[in-house]
Each structure stands twice: as C-alpha cells, then as structure tokens.
Amino acid sequence: MRYYDHLIFDYSKSGRCGYTLPKAAAPEVSTAVPEGLRRASAPALPEVSEVDVVRHYTNLSQMNFGVDTGFYPLGSCTMKYNPKINEEVAALPAFAAIHPLQPVETVQGVQAVYAGMEQMLSAITGMAYFTFNPCAGAHGELTGLMIMRAWHRSRGDMGRTKVIVPDSAHGTNPASAAVCGLDVVVVKSNADGLVDVEDLKPLLGPDLAGIMMTNPNTLGLFERDIKQIAALVHEAGGLLYYDGANMNPLIGKVRPGDMGFDIMHLNLHKSFSTPHGGGGPGSGPVGVAAFLKDCLPYPHTEGQQDNETTGSSAGCTQRVDLLTCGPFDPQKTAGRVSAHMGNFGVILRAYAWLLTIGRQHVREVGPIATLNANYIKELLRDAYKLPIPSVCKHEFVFDGLINDGAREGKEGATTLDVAKRLLDFGFHAPTIYFPLLFHQALMIEPTETESKETLDAFIDVMHRIAAEAAEDPDILHAAPHACPISRPDDTTAAKHPVINWADLQAE
Ligand SMILES: *Cc1c(COP(=O)(O)O)cnc(C)c1O
C-alpha cells in the first residue's frame, strides 16, 4: 500500500504512545465534570509515535500542488509566487492577535495599513477611495454594482436597472449583475474583438445603470475606443465599472480611472501576491471616483489621508490619528457587504508586498509578466494552434495541438489530455476550455515571478507532449501516469469530495 492510501488510524498499535507525562502533583478533579457529561469510554484516537505522525502528514502535504512546489501557469488566475515576508508580517502578534471589536485607539497600526493601502491602490488605479470589505473578486463586482445602484437611487433615479456586458466578459460579470437584481444586456464585439460602438449606441438610454468592462479585454486586446465609450455611457447617465481582477499587466502603466471608469475592483489574491485557491480567504477591494464616496459600503475608515494627494508616499508611514469608522448616510450608502472590514490578513499581505517591491519596481511587474507570456507563446506556436497571433498581455490562449495524432482508428489528443500529461512532469495545468470562444482553449499565464529557466523547462515539456501526441495520443489519453489519482470525475470531485475518515469508512 502507498502512504496516501493510509489513514493515521492505520498506523495505530495498541499501547504505542508519542509522549508520557509525569503524574500530576495536584489532586485529580475529574469529579468537577458532572456525571452525565462524562465519556463512557476513552475516545478512539490513533496510538502512534511522533515520527509516524510527522511522516504521515508531511507525505500527505506533498500530494498538494501549489506555487511553492512548482510552476502554476493557470490563465486568468495570476498564480504568482507569494513572498514569505508577507506571511511574517501577517503573523506579527500586533496584527494577528487583535479583535475586530477592540477600541479603535488600540488598533491604529491596522488603521494605518488600511489608509496606506487605500492611498497606494488609488495611486495605482486612478480611483479616489477604496473599500476593503469585499472578500473576493466576484464579491467586489457585486459591491461595485450595489454602489452603482445606490448612486442612481440617491438621486431619485429609480428606473436604471440595465447593465451592459460585452460578449467576451468573464462569466462572473453577468452573474454579479443578476445577483444584484439588475438586467444584463450583451453588447457584441466587432471583427477585431473589441466592443462594437455602433452596437452599443442603441442600448444606451434612461434605463441604463452602467456598463461592465475590462481593458485590455478578456482576449487581451486594448479597447481603443474606451474614451468614446466612456463619454457615450456618461452622457446617457450610466456609470462605467472596471473588472480589475487581471490588473497585473497594468500596474504602474495604465490607470482605469484615467480611461473614464468610475468604479472597479481588484483581486489582491491575484495581482497583489496573496495566496489563493481552494476557496480560501481572498480580498476584492472596490475603488470609486470621488463623487461616489457617500455610496461606499460601511464601515469605512475615515480621515486617513488627503486623497487629493494620492501618489505621495507620505500616507504609508505617517501617523494616522484616531481613525474611526466614518459616519454614513443611510440614504446613500450601498449598505453592508461583510462583517467588519474584510479579510484583513489578506490586505496586510498585499500591503507588505507593495512596500517590499516599492514604487519603482512595481512598474516592472506588468512588463515582465507580459514578456514571459509572449516568450512562451512564440516558442510554442510551432506545436500549438494560436488563434490570436498578435502580441499578448500577461496571458494568451492556444486552441489545442497542431498535430493531435488523430488517424485511422485513433482519436487525437485533446486539451484535457495535454493538461493531464503536464501533471506527470511536475507542472500545474493551464486554464482549459476557457475562454469559451475556442473549443480547445489552453490559457497560459506565467506571471512575472518565473525565471527564464523555469519557462524553458515548461516549453521543453510542452514540446515533448506535442511529440508524444503526434506519435501515440494514447499516452496522453491515459495521463497522468505518475499522480496519486488519475482522472476523477470533475463534478463529483468538486461537489462531493470525500475528505474525512468517517465518510471514507462509509464508502
Ligand atoms: C478571477 C476573476 C474574477 C473573480 O474573482 P474571484 O476572487 O474568484 O471571485 C472576476 N473577473 C475576472 C476577469 C477574473 O479573472
């Protein structure tokens, strides 16, 4: 049996014991527990030595794949390395041991982090204020749309219920609009993959709440007409929402605020180096233009810094006096979107990253991420179909293998097969079958944290897999060959994971 087939209970030997303690000098007080609450028999704990425990759990931990174990080019997810100094800062007791209901005078350092972070993100995005309450990107979208709706309502403009979303948008955009109770209308892309301004015009009217976009768009193309789109939407009384989940290539280069956007979210757990995956804590702060300040959700820190001076580094280090949760106007605020002030530990890690990397080097993040993506794209286009051949941003899409090995009596290798085979070589699979525009999509995003050597190793393996496919696609159909489990049913694995002993016993 392999170690991963074992449970810690399998190692149990009656009477084996990791530790013994000397008999207590104090008298036993078991009578302090009322009779009815006492156990009839001892709990069925495994009886194991310390080394059994350490080996078992260390081995299990190595069944996980993460950015700390290997290259993770999961497109659209920005799986960049999470620097360990972020973890050290987040673990400082002054941050880790606080309580959200503690008197505000005792958490001035925390307030200074929120203030400094608001200032840095405002400088990066061209927004005036940020709320840190949303706990994920999609949560940020919902919050942003609630702000949009709150603004229209605060002006007595109750009929604005329509949100325009391009056909290339990330699936969360229309989903968030629907959850917010708004009606989604799709605007078409033109032949160049950009929002079709002529198709947009007839959609603008007194029922328009706003438009949700991202630029560069989901295909990595820059919406050249963004200024005109912004003017048209504003003229019609609508607002512009920017999906900033994929801000990585733009940081320090382009600001959504300058393009005319009024509201946006960021994914700190993508572009700002905090860990993510598996549904763990995230952070989707939402930035707004100055005129939307009263529509922000509460609580919101107040009096932190002069937002007119975004871009000065002073706010990151200056003492911030007695910040309280600012007053809010119930007629204007979008309301409450989470308990307290969001996932502070995540915000703190992103703050540590920004301070570590600094104003100067943060400008290099986007260009290096972009260079890395283009490097892989150019060196693999001889083996994989490249539907959009132009220079890409931080990620790009292949549409399956050029030679998938299909022939008489043999089915060709698919994108799923390539993804599974990569696991045998110690690489995480790219994003597959997204975007939906292509049938065999493989979306690759290397990020800026990977060395040329790592990229070259990945490129070699991708070529080797292409050669295997051409020769005998069955090698790929049966992959992965070297992983603990091969091909679980995706839906069952996600919806009904068997993760505890009792369930395993019941199987
Ligand atoms: C990841 C992503 C989101 C959603 O972010 P979550 O934190 O997963 O909710 C939204 N839009 C785009 C473009 C994304 O890539």
Side-chain angles (χ1 to χ4, degrees):
M1 256 220 300
R2 298 153 304 183
Y3 65 83
Y4 44 78
D5 291 326
H6 285 282
L7 294 167
I8 191 70
F9 294 91
D10 297 331
Y11 298 99
S12 186
K13 281 278 174 297
S14 176
R16 185 166 294 166
C17 156
Y19 284 96
T20 52
L21 296 174
K23 206 167 159 41
E28 279 193 35
V29 289
S30 61
T31 48
V33 179
E35 183 69 40
L37 295 178
R38 277 187 240 158
R39 286 183 172 279
S41 55
L45 296 175
E47 297 179 73
V48 286
S49 67
E50 178 173 326
V51 67
D52 289 340
V53 175
V54 168
R55 288 198 184 134
H56 180 65
Y57 287 107
T58 304
N59 281 324
L60 284 183
S61 77
Q62 289 175 2
M63 290 170 70
N64 254 346
F65 194 99
V67 269
D68 285 356
T69 49
F71 182 48
Y72 207 135
L74 197 64
S76 198
C77 293
T78 316
M79 302 300 287
K80 62 171 73 175
Y81 173 66
N82 319 128
K84 295 302 163 251
I85 191 171
N86 299 357
E87 301 304 316
E88 281 176 41
V89 170
L92 292 173
F95 290 126
I98 55 168
H99 190 280
L101 297 179
Q102 213 165 302
V104 74
E105 314 84 273
T106 65
V107 287
Q108 287 293 293
V110 172
Q111 299 285 45
V113 169
Y114 278 110
M117 199 59 182
E118 181 172 42
Q119 188 172 43
M120 287 192 283
L121 295 186
S122 295
I124 287 170
T125 58
M127 296 287 143
Y129 299 98
F130 267 87
T131 170
F132 293 93
N133 301 5
C135 296
H139 194 194
E141 290 173 29
L142 176 63
T143 303
L145 290 165
M146 287 165 71
I147 293 170
M148 189 184 277
R149 189 176 55 186
W151 188 69
H152 291 309
R153 284 190 178 166
S154 74
R155 307 165 78 233
D157 204 349
M158 310 303 271
R160 294 191 178 268
T161 54
K162 193 166 84 183
V163 170
I164 300 174
V165 176
D167 55 8
S168 66
H170 194 268
T172 50
N173 293 182
S176 298
V179 169
C180 196
L182 298 163
D183 304 320
V184 180
V185 182
V186 175
V187 59
K188 286 204 203 74
S189 302
N190 60 24
D192 298 330
L194 305 176
V195 166
D196 189 333
V197 178
E198 291 314 311
D199 192 58
L200 175 68
K201 282 179 184 165
L203 302 178
L204 307 173
D207 59 346
L208 178 70
I211 186 170
M212 299 180 87
M213 287 177 69
T214 181
N215 194 16
N217 64 25
T218 308
L219 300 178
L221 305 169
F222 196 82
E223 300 278 358
R224 286 189 304 271
D225 298 324
I226 187 61
K227 285 277 188 187
Q228 190 195 353
I229 293 170
L232 287 168
V233 170
H234 282 149
E235 242 166 65
L239 299 182
L240 281 90
Y241 184 88
Y242 187 90
D243 179 342
N246 291 314
M247 186 72 192
N248 210 38
L250 277 69
I251 296 174
K253 288 283 162 197
V254 188
R255 309 196 315 166
D258 299 336
M259 294 184 220
F261 286 92
D262 307 296
I263 310 171
M264 70 175 293
H265 83 270
L266 293 166
N267 275 38
L268 298 189
H269 50 288
K270 286 181 179 170
S271 324
F272 296 83
S273 95
T274 74
H276 61 129
S283 178
V286 172
V288 295
F291 70 93
L292 290 168
K293 181 171 186 247
D294 292 342
C295 301
L296 286 171
Y298 64 91
H300 182 247
T301 51
E302 265 299 312
Q304 50 270 46
Q305 80 267 344
D306 179 1
N307 281 292
E308 296 301 307
T309 62
T310 49
S312 102
S313 59
C316 307
T317 49
Q318 82 197 3
R319 191 185 135 74
V320 187
D321 281 313
L322 270 188
L323 294 169
T324 51
C325 294
F328 61 92
D329 180 344
Q331 299 302 318
K332 292 184 178 164
T333 177
R336 220 182 224 289
V337 298
S338 65
H340 309 296
M341 300 278 288
N343 281 325
F344 177 64
V346 179
I347 295 153
L348 185 57
R349 284 170 175 83
Y351 180 73
W353 181 73
L354 277 171
L355 291 188
T356 307
I357 201 161
R359 170 189 294 271
Q360 200 183 347
H361 296 297
V362 85
R363 291 172 191 276
E364 292 163 25
V365 167
I368 297 174
T370 302
L371 177 65
N372 282 358
N374 280 285
Y375 181 74
I376 296 179
K377 171 171 70 76
E378 289 307 313
L379 288 178
L380 283 180
R381 60 188 293 182
D382 59 339
Y384 294 84
K385 286 183 207 151
L386 184 63
I388 304 169
S390 54
V391 173
C392 65
K393 298 298 180 303
H394 62 307
E395 60 192 356
F396 65 93
V397 183
F398 282 134
D399 190 11
L401 287 150
I402 289 176
N403 180 358
D404 63 7
R407 50 188 173 263
E408 189 71 19
K410 246 197 192 8
E411 256 181 57
T414 63
T415 275
L416 178 67
D417 296 331
V418 173
K420 293 289 184 190
R421 185 66 176 133
L422 269 171
L423 304 176
D424 282 335
F425 297 99
F427 292 116
H428 196 280
T431 294
I432 57 173
Y433 301 110
F434 177 86
L436 305 175
L437 267 48
F438 310 108
H439 292 301
Q440 291 293 328
L442 265 162
M443 192 179 203
I444 297 177
E445 177 181 8
T447 85
E448 75 282 4
T449 59
E450 301 304 321
S451 67
K452 179 172 178 296
E453 290 72 21
T454 300
L455 304 183
D456 285 337
F458 175 73
I459 290 163
D460 279 353
V461 164
M462 286 289 280
H463 273 133
R464 177 172 166 177
I465 292 172
E468 285 178 347
E471 205 175 290
D472 180 9
D474 285 347
I475 300 174
L476 273 64
H477 295 322
H481 303 270
C483 294
I485 53 170
S486 184
R487 296 198 181 199
D489 178 79
D490 291 348
T491 313
T492 311
K495 300 284 180 201
H496 304 287
V498 178
I499 50 173
N500 68 55
W501 191 60
D503 287 352
L504 254 186
Q505 298 295 301
E507 285 254 300

